[in-house]
Amino acid sequence: PSSIPSKAPSGQPSSIPSEMPSCTPSQMPTPPEETFLFYPDWSPGAVGCKNDGNEPSHMSADPSNYMSTTLAKCCSSYFSWNYDVCIGNLPGICARSLFYPDWE
């Protein structure tokens, strides 16, 4: 490395942006106190994992056995048999209904 530049700067910095600024501001980061881990929702009619901060107390008391940092990890750990539904890969009503043979 040299302390002497190889050539002079091309000119003064521009006073105008190089691109048009976005009309839609980006979202603010989620405050840490509002960020929750994912947990399996085993309530009747549930289809997977939630991260709403309303996990049962036995799960929050033992987070290493029930809580996950990502939806994918929660779904693969607790709903691997129905992973696509849990992760939300199946659109519409098909993602909410499972079919099975009715032998009667």
Side-chain angles (χ1 to χ4, degrees), residues 83-94:
Y83 181 82
D84 284 330
V85 171
C86 180
I87 202 83
N89 283 344
L90 302 176
I93 189 127
C94 295

Side-chain angles (χ1 to χ4, degrees), residues 5 7 9 12 16-17 19 32 40 62 77 81-82 88 93 97 101 104:
K7 50 187 195 173
Q12 294 295 319
I16 57 172
E19 292 182 24
D62 190 10
S77 295
W81 53 272
N82 205 10
I93 189 127
S97 303
E104 294 182 23

